Amino acid sequence: MRILVTGKNGQLGRSIHKLVNTDSKIDNNQSSDDFIFVGREELDLSSESSISHYFDNNDKLDIIINCAAYTQVDKAEQEVELANQINHLAVKQLASIANKQQVKLIHISTDYVFDGEGDKPYIETDIPNPINIYGKTKLSGEKALQVVMPMNAIIIRTSWLYSEYGNNFVSTMLRLGKERNELNVVSDQIGSPTYATDLAGTILEIIKNKEFREEDQATQIYHYSNEGEISWYEFAKEIFKIAKIDFKVNPITTQQYPTPAKRPRNTSMNKDKIAEIFSIDTLDWKESLNKGIYCLIASNKYN
Ligand SMILES: NC(=O)c1ccc[n+]([C@@H]2O[C@H](COP(=O)([O-])OP(=O)(O)OC[C@H]3O[C@@H](n4cnc5c(N)ncnc54)[C@H](OP(=O)(O)O)[C@@H]3O)[C@@H](O)[C@H]2O)c1
């Protein structure tokens, strides 16, 4: 097997790398040597010619896992063209190459394709309606992929990703917990956190799955996050509780914390489909947060 993972320096890319190299998530027919991790130095998604060059000059793959993306939600409002190139046009190009070369593609998308105005957790067939540039470009990527690659691809929408790598909400809270005594956190945006290691494990489960490996499977969208629907305020409070940091968190409204990009109100997603098709256990957010904070503190990455 030859499995390409893009975004090797990102949260998800690094979490897949960690699992592939340290534990039993890969099956007996696979080894860590089957995985090729690339960053923008090897495969620059902002450049059409870099993408073509990479695939023209490397051996055929069996699976591509696209973890690379333009993920700066606020900055995307200014860098519309770059976000669109990486999240939309590059995805279309990857899908077209994968389709031509009969390579399976797993692509990661976001809960921010939804407007957050629903009254129950979103299912995969609900109509997306992104309210910021990041969400719009991610949705364009999903749509282009589905047109170019109607078979043999999987789109996984995830939400509120954190890990022991890079900057994320959990590492930011832990750092601020050292620098300040109190903090205002938005309490009227609801969603579900996702520990990147859990998503990485889910992706490795999927590529082991017999049905996924069969040829000519219709392209599908799945939702995946940890279990539980909370606000950023509740998330922050639990982070300080687990880390045993005595810290005052004050709830505020979105209106009191304006950002360049609008945020959806409630993007909780229903995960029944992925759980049923791939026998995935979606883990409780607090349980995963405990593991995540333990790993973050052990790696000392939030200093
Ligand atoms: N983070 C979240 O809260 C969240 C929520 C929902 C969905 N998602 C989705 O989940 C996936 C993984 O997110 P993540 O949190 O792991 O993202 P991340 O930590 O921001 O990593 C993204 C990676 O993409 C790479 N990248 C950016 N521009 C590139 C380019 N031009 N060419 C090649 N690589 C490029 C970055 O490279 P450098 O390291 O060199 O910058 C980085 O390694 C993404 O599809 C994201 O949209 C994330």
Side-chain angles (χ1 to χ4, degrees):
M1 289 288 271
R2 283 172 54 80
I3 303 163
L4 183 77
V5 182
T6 68
K8 74 171 178 189
N9 298 313
Q11 299 197 79
L12 183 57
R14 292 182 71 178
S15 300
I16 294 176
H17 188 268
K18 173 181 75 173
L19 288 189
V20 161
N21 284 285
T22 58
D23 94 10
S24 55
K25 285 282 179 189
I26 48 180
D27 68 16
N28 297 335
N29 304 319
Q30 253 169 22
S31 88
S32 56
D33 296 341
D34 295 345
F35 289 79
I36 305 149
F37 290 86
V38 291
R40 73 173 80 211
E41 315 74 37
E42 296 94 353
L43 176 59
D44 181 358
L45 297 186
S46 70
S47 153
E48 194 184 327
S49 58
S50 165
I51 300 173
S52 313
H53 183 266
Y54 182 85
F55 289 96
D56 288 346
N57 290 283
N58 284 284
D59 292 339
K60 186 188 172 298
L61 299 157
D62 298 291
I63 303 171
I64 299 169
I65 306 171
N66 184 30
C67 303
Y70 184 106
T71 56
Q72 296 172 83
V73 176
D74 286 321
K75 215 168 161 194
E77 298 294 311
Q78 296 298 321
E79 295 189 331
V80 180
E81 212 176 306
L82 181 61
N84 189 57
Q85 166 58 35
I86 295 168
N87 292 345
H88 168 204
L89 301 177
V91 175
K92 183 178 178 184
Q93 197 182 349
L94 282 181
S96 163
I97 292 166
N99 195 50
K100 209 184 292 164
Q101 299 187 354
Q102 293 189 300
V103 178
K104 296 262 182 189
L105 174 61
I106 298 178
H107 172 67
I108 313 303
S109 192
T110 172
D111 57 329
Y112 278 17
V113 296
F114 295 115
D115 61 19
E117 294 304 318
D119 53 8
K120 56 179 188 306
Y122 287 104
I123 59 170
E124 287 79 354
T125 48
D126 283 336
I127 310 287
N129 181 32
I131 58 171
N132 57 40
I133 296 293
Y134 168 72
K136 285 181 183 163
T137 59
K138 292 293 284 186
L139 178 62
S140 299
E142 285 188 7
K143 285 186 169 166
L145 182 156
Q146 288 170 293
V147 170
V148 172
M149 203 175 173
M151 310 292 267
N152 296 321
I154 280 183
I155 295 167
I156 304 175
R157 292 183 183 139
T158 191
S159 58
W160 296 21
L161 212 57
Y162 66 91
S163 69
E164 50 273 38
Y165 310 113
N167 289 325
N168 54 69
F169 188 76
V170 179
S171 59
T172 302
M173 287 301 115
L174 292 176
R175 182 173 46 77
L176 292 176
K178 286 189 158 186
E179 296 170 3
R180 301 190 197 173
N181 298 321
E182 68 178 292
L183 191 68
N184 298 336
V185 181
V186 168
S187 63
D188 57 359
Q189 287 168 31
I190 310 292
S192 304
T194 306
Y195 181 34
T197 299
D198 295 340
L199 176 56
T202 294
I203 292 170
L204 295 181
E205 281 301 321
I206 291 173
I207 64 175
K208 280 196 291 195
N209 185 281
K210 226 171 76 221
E211 267 174 46
F212 169 74
R213 290 195 179 190
E214 273 169 21
E215 279 173 26
D216 296 336
Q217 297 286 312
T219 290
Q220 296 285 340
I221 298 179
Y222 295 96
H223 290 171
Y224 180 84
S225 67
N226 287 136
E227 212 55 72
E229 295 146 29
I230 55 164
S231 68
W232 291 109
Y233 164 73
E234 287 167 285
F235 195 17
K237 279 212 312 187
E238 190 65 23
I239 291 165
F240 294 118
K241 187 173 159 198
I242 293 172
K244 299 191 170 57
I245 298 172
D246 189 18
F247 197 79
K248 188 158 185 280
V249 187
N250 307 309
I252 56 164
T253 62
T254 299
Q255 243 185 350
Q256 290 172 291
Y257 187 74
T259 49
K262 278 213 276 182
R263 301 298 200 272
R265 193 180 52 79
N266 185 343
T267 55
S268 311
M269 298 186 293
N270 178 304
K271 277 85 64 180
D272 290 352
K273 183 176 172 187
I274 199 165
E276 194 181 314
I277 302 288
F278 295 112
S279 310
I280 302 287
D281 280 335
T282 45
L283 302 169
D284 173 73
W285 73 274
K286 279 189 192 175
E287 215 177 288
S288 286
L289 184 59
N290 261 290
K291 287 188 295 180
I293 287 182
Y294 175 82
C295 288
L296 246 164
I297 289 174
S299 66
N300 217 11
K301 284 277 163 51
Y302 64 92
N303 285 310

